Every structure is written in structure tokens, then in C-alpha cells.
């Protein structure tokens, strides 16, 4: 175990300080945080502002409203008889923007908003408030508030009894497994599938023969896989923190994060399926790396593995249409697609526990078989510098080992 | 497994064979290596040397035969008692020399602190202490060679297997590595050395195994093998010229000296006496010809073999 840990630590240290890893790991979250911060910055620009807004009521049925406030912004409203008058006031700077409510508004016609720039969320909220008050001048504020979201409810699943609140809670419930599935895919494609290249590089550097006389081939593979897993976890950790910061920044004003609950069931299944699933990809990629004679061949073989890994995406339409259909169940039970497909299905339907449990068992069994297989071909192929292992040699290696 | 319990033997190999497809790479090879001995493993390209070394280290499995290494079959525990410098070798280029040695030292079972102490001592001895924080890729070829040697031996193994330890080294660094090997031998380590530098084998090895096409061709102490192949010839430096002499079958010139091939049954002392008594010449040097390992190799293998071929 000490040697496995030593190999893992060294693999991790060597790659964690490489320029490509640093760019990939920290570049993405920085972009996410920037993307999350831009709307905030835009919103903050309107905070506490008092805006003079004109309006033209062509329906003749709106009540006069002189002032509304929404999200720390106050709209001071001025009524104009027609669009010419409103435009003239806008051009003279009396008002900074104006709204034209057309005659057919109550039949579905759209109102037109004129301004120097696109309205931000505060302005939109203020305009909505104005329209509500102008249409219902006699109603108290609480009626208007309630009317803005009259159908908020809690859904209770009949079979499982699981209660889901509407709104952000539903989004979190759906998004959590989907995001975990995405993180699994990212981990596989940036970490596990790179194992082949790592092993080929080891062969190319001629370091394999010296190292292999210090430990068993299975210890070398296990150490490399563990090191790459630690690397992927570091990367995902940084990305997850970056994503969380971006989400908090973007929704801090509109979401009560304390009221949201994490769906721990989905997280548990993500770990149970994702971790052995990741190891399965890593060990398989190692085996392909051992067989490959060059980086180019390793990448080609990793591409084949990638096609298998992307199968859930190709079947996404079918899975979404019939999440409990035969194709969805089969892909949930197939070890290489199980982690991602299982999590995608969890986002859109109630996946029977037996299917998830069976997936877990099949992944672990396949992983054990892969380790057995890779350890056997390792001995035969590790010293074949610049040569790929031919099928006949592969069969002989398996027979002789 | 057949009992092999010669207590001073670091390695005993009996009837070792290996076949790749239809090629008999190693054919019924037996030899042993003692503690405190430097043993030469020689043979031309494709002779089966690397296959033998890899079978000794359990990197590949033999088809037949027995190997007793450090008193029994190979085990994971024994890997920490063996040092191996393969012919196809390299270190992680993106690691510093210091990191590399600590990593490989610990992989060979040394505690971190011991690895640090040993690494410092060895780096100072091979004059690599100053560039210890340089990445491997930034080291010169000679430095790299020395670093690899240190990596293979810093855990002070009981059995050392080295393939071409002097390649890429200048005479000064060759001397440094050679002294380290002598120190290890003095400590009781058994050393198996494969090299194409025959003068190094002649100088350093007590015994050799010469193989060709997987078969054992010569095996035994170097001095006995050289004596066996010496033949009945003498080399003479003199003033004057001779074209024939009693008891001499053939006279040839080589590097300014005469080489005299004596007739069967004629002793060198008799020829020396005859030459001294010849008035037209003055003998300055007279010695029995020592056949070099190069010459023996060509003679035994039965074909011209390049020096490079001997190495592979």
C-alpha cells in the first residue's frame, strides 16, 4: 500500500504543477465567476436609482400610477397622451425611458419599451409592478403579490411519498444529478481517459523497466489510477467551488439558499456509481495505453473509449422521451454508461433502486475483471518500446500470465 | 523447486530456457554469481542477455529452469534488495534530480530520511550535489547516466544488475562509477555487469558468462579463460630484423613488434635463448602473448562481431 501511495503522490505532484493542468483547472472557474458576476454588476448599477419613466396608455383602461418601487429601484411615472409627446419628453431628457401600452394590449398585444439600453431585471420588475397596479388600482398590495405567483405548490410523489416544493427546490432536485453526471463526464474525459497517454509516456521515457523491478505491475497501475483520481478530484473541486461562487453571485439577490435542501440520495448514488465508474474508465484506459505503441495510438484507443462514454448523450432523446424504457434501463445497467445514464434518469424520473443497485454491482464486477485483465497484459507489453501489442501477442500474454 | 543452497551464492541459475514464438532466445543456461563478485555477462546482439536479466528479475517468466535469487525464488520483498540499471533506461524528465532519487529510493523501501541521507552522500560522491534541483531533462547525458546509476544503487542492494554502466561517461566519471562498484563489491554485493567495453570486463570481472544465440559458449574465471586461449605465441620488441628463427612457425609484425607463432612443443624460453644469441638483433622486450577477450570472443563465436554488437 505504501508503494501504491508513493506512485499516486508522485503522479499527482508531477501533473498538478503542469501548465496545462493549471490553465484548465483555474481558467474555467475564473470564466464561470466572471460570467456569474457580469449580471450582478449590471444589476448593481440600478440599485437605489430613481428613474423618470413615461408611459402612453392607448387602451384608455389603465389607472394613473405616479410611483412604484421594486428591487431597490423607484420608478417615477409620468403619463403622456400620445407617443409623440412621450418621445419629445424622452429627447428633452425629462424622462429616461418610456412605455407604450397598445390598444390591443388586453387582447395579447405587446407593450413597447423605449430606452437608451436594454432594461435590466430591476427595471423589468418595476414595469411589471406598474402594470399590475395600473390594471388593479383598487386591490391591496398583498393581492397583487399573490396574483404574481398564484399556483405555488408542493408536489408529493404518490409511490415514494417524496415531497417536492415548487420553484428553486425543484430546480435543485433536477439539477443536482444532472450536474453530478456532467462532473463525472468531465472527470472521465480530463482524467481517467488520459491514463493511456500517461502509461505510454512512461514507456517512452524508458522509466518503466527500472520502476517495475521495485513493485508489482498491479501496484504501479493502482498508484497511477489513484494519482489521476486525486488529480481529477482536485480539478472537480476547484470547478465545483468556482461554480458555487458563480451561482451564489448570480442568484444571491433572488434565492434563499438556506431554504434549499440538497438531494442526498442523488449524491449517494453519484458516489456509488461514479467512483467505481471512474476507476473502470481509468483502468481500461491504462490497459489501452499498455497495448498502444505510441501517443498517437493511445489517443486513438482513448477515442474509442470516449465514443462508449458518450453513448448516454447519443441516446439522450430516447431516454428523455421514455426514461424507464428498455434502452434507458439497458444503458443504466451497462457499466461504461451506467454512472452518467443513471444520474440523467434520476434527474427526470424515479429510477427503481434495484436498477441502481444492479448497476453498482455490475460496475464493480467489471472493474475487478478489468484489473485482472490489465495486470496480465501489463507484463507482456510494458517493455515493448514503440510497438503495439498485436492480437496474437495479447492472447498469448493472457494465456501465459 | 530443486534445492539450491550454496550459502555464498547471490544467484543460482539452472537450465534456464525461453522461447519466443519459434525463436529459442535462451537455451539451457546455467550459472551462478557469488556475493562479493563482479560477474560479466557477455554476448553479441540478440544473444539473449536482456532476456536472461529480465527473467532473473521476474519481469518475464522463463519456460523452463530454476532461478534462486538471494536464497530462493523472487519475491516482492526481494525487489528492495536488488538494484537494476537496465539498458533501456530513463528517469521522469519533469522531476528534479533530488525528487527523483527520493522517489526511487523510497520505492526501494528506504524511509524518507534515509533516502535523503543516502541521496546526499551519493550525489556528493558522483559530483551531482550542485545540480540536484535541476530537472532531469536539463541534465547532460553523462549526468543523467550517473543519476541513473545512483537511483539504481542508493538503497545499497545485495545484488546489482547493471547493463552498460559506463555508456556516455568520460574517463573521469567512468572512474567514479567504477570505484563505487568496487566499494559495493567490498561490502559483499554481487554485481552482474553487461558491457561491450571488454577492457572494463578484463579489469573488473572475476568471472564471465559468454552466450551466443541463447546458448552458453564460455563460462568461468577471466584469467583461466584467457590462459586457455593464449596459444603458443610470443611478442618481441628488438633492434634489427629477423625473417625466420628455429622453432618459430610464423613471424608477423604488429604495432612495431614482432609476433612469433611457435611450433608445437617449443617452449618460449628456448626461443628467447636463440634470439639473444643472434648477433644481428638486440632483444628489448620479450613476453608471452595474452589473448584479449575481444579476440577470444571472435574465436569462440566463430564470426566477426563488432564491439557495438557485443554490447547489445
Amino acid at each position: 500500500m505504501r508503494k501504491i501511495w508513493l506512485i499516486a503522490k508522485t503522479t499527482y505532484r508531477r501533473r498538478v504543477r503542469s501548465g496545462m493542468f493549471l490553465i484548465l483547472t483555474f481558467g474555467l472557474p475564473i470564466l464561470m465567476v466572471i460570467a456569474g458576476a457580469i449580471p450582478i454588476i449590471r444589476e448593481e448599477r440600478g440599485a437605489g436609482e430613481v428613474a423618470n419613466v413615461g408611459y402612453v396608455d392607448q387602451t384608455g383602461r389603465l389607472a394613473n400610477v405616479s410611483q412604484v418601487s421594486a428591487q431597490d429601484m423607484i420608478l417615477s411615472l409620468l403619463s403622456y397622451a400620445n407617443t409623440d409627446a412621450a418621445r419629445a419628453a424622452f429627447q428633452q431628457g425629462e424622462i429616461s425611458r418610456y412605455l407604450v401600452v397598445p390598444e390591443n394590449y388586453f387582447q395579447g398585444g405587446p407593450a413597447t419599451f423605449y430606452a437608451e439600453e436594454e432594461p435590466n431585471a430591476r427595471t423589468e420588475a418595476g414595469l411589471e409592478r406598474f402594470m399590475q397596479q395600473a390594471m388593479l388600482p383598487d386591490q391591496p398590495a398583498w393581492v397583487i403579490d399573490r396574483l404574481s405567483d398564484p399556483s405555488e405548490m408542493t408536489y408529493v410523489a404518490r409511490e415514494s411519498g417524496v415531497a417536492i416544493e415548487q420553484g428553486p427546490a425543484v430546480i435543485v432536485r433536477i439539477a443536482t444529478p444532472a450536474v453530478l453526471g456532467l462532473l463525472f463526464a468531465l472527470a472521465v474525459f480530463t482524467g481517467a481517459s488520459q491514463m493511456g497517454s500517461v502509461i505510454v509516456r512512461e514507456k517512452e521515457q524508458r522509466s518503466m523497466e527500472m520502476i517495475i523491478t521495485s513493485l508489482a505491475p498491479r501496484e504501479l497501475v493502482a498508484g497511477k489510477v489513484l494519482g489521476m483520481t486525486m488529480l481529477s478530484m482536485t480539478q472537480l473541486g476547484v470547478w465545483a467551488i468556482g461554480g458555487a461562487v458563480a451561482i451564489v453571485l448570480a442568484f444571491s439577490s433572488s434565492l434563499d439558499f438556506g431554504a434549499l435542501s440538497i438531494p442526498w440520495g442523488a449524491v449517494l448514488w453519484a458516489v456509488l456509481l461514479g467512483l467505481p465508474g471512474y476507476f473502470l474508465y481509468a483502468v481500461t484506459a491504462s490497459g489501452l495505453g499498455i497495448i498502444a505503441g505510441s501517443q498517437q495510438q493511445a489517443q486513438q484507443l482513448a477515442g474509442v473509449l470516449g465514443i462508449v462514454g458518450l453513448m448516454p448523450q447519443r441516446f439522450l432523446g430516447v431516454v428523455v422521451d421514455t426514461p424507464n424504457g428498455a434502452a434507458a434501463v439497458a444503458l443504466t445497467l451497462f457499466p461504461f454508461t451506467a454512472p452518467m445514464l443513471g444520474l440523467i434518469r434520476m434527474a427526470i424520473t424515479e429510477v427503481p433502486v434495484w436498477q441502481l443497485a444492479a448497476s453498482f454491482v455490475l460496475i464493480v464486477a467489471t472493474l475487478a475483471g478489468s484489473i485482472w485483465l490489465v495486470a496480465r497484459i501489463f507484463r507482456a507489453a510494458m517493455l515493448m518500446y514503440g510497438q503495439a501489442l498485436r492480437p496474437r501477442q495479447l492472447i498469448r500474454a493472457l494465456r501465459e500470465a | 523447486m530443486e534445492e539450491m543452497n550454496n550459502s555464498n551464492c547471490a544467484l543460482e541459475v539452472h537450465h534456464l530456457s525461453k522461447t519466443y514464438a519459434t525463436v529459442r532466445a535462451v537455451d539451457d543456461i546455467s550459472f551462478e554469481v557469488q556475493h562479493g563478485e563482479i560477474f560479466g555477462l557477455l554476448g553479441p546482439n540478440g544473444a539473449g542477455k536482456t532476456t536472461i536479466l529480465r527473467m532473473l528479475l521476474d519481469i518475464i517468466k522463463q519456460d523452463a529452469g530454476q532461478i534462486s535469487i538471494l536464497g530462493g525464488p523472487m519475491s516482492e520483498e526481494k525487489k528492495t534488495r536488488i538494484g537494476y540499471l537496465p539498458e533501456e533506461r530513463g528517469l521522469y524528465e519533469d522531476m528534479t534530480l533530488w525528487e527523483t532519487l527520493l522517489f526511487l529510493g523510497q520505492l526501494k523501501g528506504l524511509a524518507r530520511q534515509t533516502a535523503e541521507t543516502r541521496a546526499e552522500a551519493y550525489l556528493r560522491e558522483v559530483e551531482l550535489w550542485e545540480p540536484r534541483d535541476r530537472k532531469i531533462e536539463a541534465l547532460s547525458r553523462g549526468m543523467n547516466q550517473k543519476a541513473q546509476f545512483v537511483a539504481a544503487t542508493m538503497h545499497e542492494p545485495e545484488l546489482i544488475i547493471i547493463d552498460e554502466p559506463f555508456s556516455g561517461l568520460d574517463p573521469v566519471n567512468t572512474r567514479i562509477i567504477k570505484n563505487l562498484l568496487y566499494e559495493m563489491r567490498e561490502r559483499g554485493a554481487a554485481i552482474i555487469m553487461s558491457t561491450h567495453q571488454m577492457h572494463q570486463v578484463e579489469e573488473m570481472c572475476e568471472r564471465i558468462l559468454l552466450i551466443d544465440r541463447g546458448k552458453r559458449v564460455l563460462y568461468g574465471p577471466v584469467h583461466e579463460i584467457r590462459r586457455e586461449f593464449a596459444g603458443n605465441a610470443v611478442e618481441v620488441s628488438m633492434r634489427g630484423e629477423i625473417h625466420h628463427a628455429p622453432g618459430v612457425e610464423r613471424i608477423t609484425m604488429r604495432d612495431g613488434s614482432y609476433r612469433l607463432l611457435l611450433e608445437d612443443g617449443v617452449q618460449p624460453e628456448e626461443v628467447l635463448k636463440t634470439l639473444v644469441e643472434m648477433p644481428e638483433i638486440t632483444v628489448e622486450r620479450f613476453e608471452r602473448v595474452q589473448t584479449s577477450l575481444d579476440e577470444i570472443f571472435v574465436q569462440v563465436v566463430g564470426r566477426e562481431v563488432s564491439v557495438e554488437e557485443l554490447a547489445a
Side-chain angles (χ1 to χ4, degrees):
Chain A
M1 195 60 208
R2 182 176 171 267
K3 288 179 180 177
I4 293 175
W5 178 239
L6 197 62
I7 294 284
K9 239 176 18 180
T10 306
T11 303
Y12 179 81
R13 278 189 191 150
R14 285 175 60 206
R15 295 185 74 86
V16 82
R17 60 192 182 192
S18 75
M20 186 52 78
F21 178 83
L22 295 174
I23 290 168
L24 200 63
T25 304
F26 293 101
L28 195 65
I30 287 170
L31 282 177
M32 284 195 292
V33 169
I34 290 170
I38 285 172
I40 302 302
I41 294 164
R42 285 185 58 200
E43 292 305 312
E44 288 302 319
R45 281 166 53 197
E49 186 188 350
V50 178
N52 292 327
V53 179
Y55 68 92
V56 178
D57 175 20
Q58 294 177 336
T59 68
R61 292 160 68 182
L62 296 179
N64 277 331
V65 176
S66 59
Q67 185 172 305
V68 293
S69 63
Q71 295 185 9
D72 294 338
M73 187 177 192
I74 296 165
L75 300 188
S76 182
L77 295 145
L78 297 164
S79 174
Y80 292 91
N82 53 51
T83 52
D84 290 341
R87 191 185 307 119
F90 178 69
Q91 285 169 346
Q92 287 165 14
E94 288 174 20
I95 52 175
S96 59
R97 56 209 95 172
Y98 65 98
L99 181 73
V100 176
V101 184
E103 201 174 343
N104 64 346
Y105 177 74
F106 290 102
Q107 286 79 46
T112 308
F113 184 72
Y114 295 90
E116 290 293 344
E117 57 185 38
E118 195 183 338
N120 59 20
R122 287 175 199 282
T123 309
E124 280 182 5
L127 291 171
E128 278 177 16
R129 195 70 182 175
F130 157 68
M131 290 302 293
Q132 287 161 352
Q133 287 189 14
M135 287 188 286
L136 300 166
D138 301 329
Q139 295 299 325
W142 66 266
V143 173
I144 294 173
D145 284 343
R146 193 60 202 160
L147 278 173
S148 65
D149 191 6
S151 61
E152 189 179 335
M153 57 188 74
T154 299
Y155 299 106
V156 179
R158 197 160 57 88
E159 281 184 21
S160 63
V162 173
I164 309 155
E165 289 177 7
Q166 201 203 10
V170 174
I171 296 168
V172 170
R173 183 189 171 277
I174 292 170
T176 301
V179 167
L180 290 171
L182 181 69
L183 287 178
F184 170 79
L186 282 172
V188 164
F189 287 107
T190 60
S193 63
Q194 303 302 312
M195 276 301 298
S197 298
V198 170
I199 297 286
V200 170
R201 188 162 162 73
E202 200 103 341
K203 278 172 77 174
E204 285 176 347
Q205 288 190 339
R206 304 288 199 266
S207 50
M208 193 80 87
E209 195 165 354
M210 206 155 164
I211 287 172
I212 212 67
T213 52
S214 305
L215 77 178
R218 64 176 183 282
E219 289 178 306
L220 179 61
V221 174
K224 291 274 170 203
V225 168
L226 187 60
M228 290 300 284
T229 306
M230 284 156 53
L231 202 72
S232 289
M233 293 304 122
T234 304
Q235 200 164 50
L236 291 186
V238 172
W239 287 349
I241 291 168
V245 170
I247 288 169
V248 169
L249 280 175
F251 298 104
S252 57
S253 58
S254 57
L255 268 183
D256 178 9
F257 287 98
L260 301 178
S261 60
I262 295 166
W264 290 110
V267 175
L268 177 70
W269 280 115
V271 173
L272 285 177
L273 301 181
L275 213 56
Y278 178 91
F279 287 140
L280 177 60
Y281 270 97
V283 171
T284 309
S286 306
L288 295 176
I290 285 292
I291 291 170
S294 64
Q295 283 289 355
Q296 197 185 357
Q297 283 176 347
Q299 280 162 7
Q300 284 167 349
L301 291 170
V304 175
L305 195 61
I307 290 170
V308 177
L310 285 173
M311 273 166 67
Q313 205 182 27
R314 292 171 195 279
F315 285 86
L316 200 57
V318 179
V319 173
V320 169
D321 284 347
T322 50
N324 287 315
V329 174
L331 288 171
T332 305
L333 295 176
F334 181 56
F336 286 94
T337 52
M340 209 171 158
L341 222 287
L343 290 167
I344 289 172
R345 284 180 67 207
M346 284 174 79
I348 52 179
T349 188
E350 285 281 317
V351 183
V353 173
W354 75 263
Q355 287 181 15
L356 296 171
S359 294
F360 171 73
V361 171
L362 287 171
I363 293 171
V364 171
T366 313
L367 174 62
S370 302
I371 292 170
W372 179 86
L373 211 64
V374 169
R376 267 148 190 78
I377 56 172
F378 204 95
R379 188 187 287 272
M382 67 182 173
L383 301 178
M384 293 178 69
Y385 303 120
Q387 297 171 43
L389 196 69
R390 291 192 292 272
R392 188 180 292 178
Q393 292 170 311
L394 183 64
I395 292 164
R396 199 176 64 213
L398 291 174
R399 204 183 297 144
E400 287 179 358
Chain B
M1 186 176 175
E2 189 184 310
E3 197 63 35
M4 293 187 282
N5 55 2
N6 185 340
S7 61
N8 197 41
C9 262
L11 176 72
E12 289 176 83
V13 175
H14 287 257
H15 308 293
L16 197 64
S17 294
K18 178 76 184 175
T19 303
Y20 291 118
T22 56
V23 180
R24 191 90 162 152
V26 176
D27 190 0
D28 196 31
I29 294 288
S30 299
F31 65 97
E32 60 182 44
V33 182
Q34 307 286 325
H35 284 288
E37 174 186 26
I38 300 179
F39 183 86
L41 179 60
L42 313 171
N45 195 6
K49 299 191 304 293
T50 303
T51 303
I52 290 175
L53 296 183
R54 286 175 177 172
M55 284 192 284
L56 298 182
L57 291 157
D58 200 32
I59 296 172
I60 54 176
K61 295 279 183 199
Q62 70 265 34
D63 296 335
Q66 294 131 16
I67 299 167
S68 172
I69 198 159
L70 299 173
M74 181 60 131
S75 65
E76 286 305 312
E77 178 271 326
K78 280 182 186 166
K79 285 185 174 178
T80 60
R81 296 161 62 196
I82 299 168
Y84 178 43
L85 184 68
E87 185 190 11
E88 293 279 4
R89 55 191 176 232
L91 301 170
Y92 293 141
E93 291 177 355
D94 52 355
M95 286 172 77
T96 66
L97 174 57
W98 182 249
E99 289 171 334
T100 302
L101 293 184
L102 293 194
F103 165 61
L104 292 172
Q106 289 180 87
L107 211 53
K108 281 291 185 187
L110 296 180
R112 188 181 168 90
Q113 204 171 357
T114 313
E116 284 177 347
T117 311
R118 295 263 181 92
E120 180 176 348
Y122 275 95
L123 286 178
R124 286 189 188 284
E125 195 149 357
V126 300
E127 296 167 5
L128 283 179
W129 177 245
E130 291 304 318
R132 66 187 179 283
D133 291 326
R134 264 194 234 169
K135 283 192 173 173
I136 295 294
E137 63 191 357
L139 297 179
S140 69
R141 188 171 173 222
M143 286 174 165
N144 214 309
Q145 283 288 101
K146 288 194 289 183
Q148 285 162 353
F149 182 85
V150 172
T153 55
M154 66 180 282
H155 59 294
E156 298 184 349
E158 294 165 55
L159 174 64
I160 299 166
I161 298 172
I162 42 177
D163 209 343
E164 290 304 335
F166 308 114
S167 72
L169 292 180
D170 59 35
V172 175
N173 285 317
T174 299
R175 174 53 54 192
I176 289 172
I177 296 298
K178 210 183 276 184
N179 287 341
L180 274 173
L181 284 170
Y182 288 143
E183 279 174 29
M184 288 166 193
R185 180 180 64 181
E186 293 308 309
R187 255 199 330 257
I191 300 164
I192 301 174
M193 183 170 80
S194 177
T195 177
H196 73 273
Q197 296 175 1
M198 286 297 158
H199 63 284
Q200 303 288 11
V201 175
E202 285 174 348
E203 184 188 334
M204 297 177 72
C205 296
E206 283 85 10
R207 296 186 307 128
I208 61 164
L209 168 66
L210 178 61
I211 58 169
D212 185 33
R213 297 188 179 100
K215 289 184 190 295
R216 189 169 93 175
V217 179
L218 275 177
Y219 174 54
V222 173
H223 67 274
E224 279 184 19
I225 289 170
R226 291 183 69 186
R227 195 167 58 208
E228 191 183 326
F229 282 84
N232 204 12
V234 293
E235 201 166 88
V236 186
S237 298
M238 65 180 78
R239 280 204 300 267
E241 285 184 10
I242 58 164
H243 301 289
H244 53 82
V248 176
E249 188 180 305
R250 193 170 72 236
I251 298 174
T252 52
M253 282 290 287
R254 180 185 271 200
D255 301 330
S257 299
Y258 288 94
R259 180 169 285 206
L260 281 54
L261 181 65
L262 310 188
E263 291 170 357
D264 284 347
V266 174
Q267 295 301 309
E269 294 81 7
E270 296 170 34
V271 176
L272 176 61
K273 193 177 171 195
T274 307
L275 292 177
V276 169
E277 287 169 356
M278 289 172 80
E280 67 271 30
I281 60 167
T282 307
V283 175
E284 293 175 334
R285 184 173 64 87
F286 183 96
E287 64 180 84
R288 192 163 190 157
V289 169
Q290 285 276 0
T291 311
S292 70
L293 278 180
D294 270 338
E295 290 168 323
I296 294 172
F297 191 94
V298 173
Q299 197 176 332
V300 169
V301 172
R303 59 195 163 98
E304 288 294 334
V305 179
S306 69
V307 167
E308 287 71 26
E309 207 180 341
L310 283 172

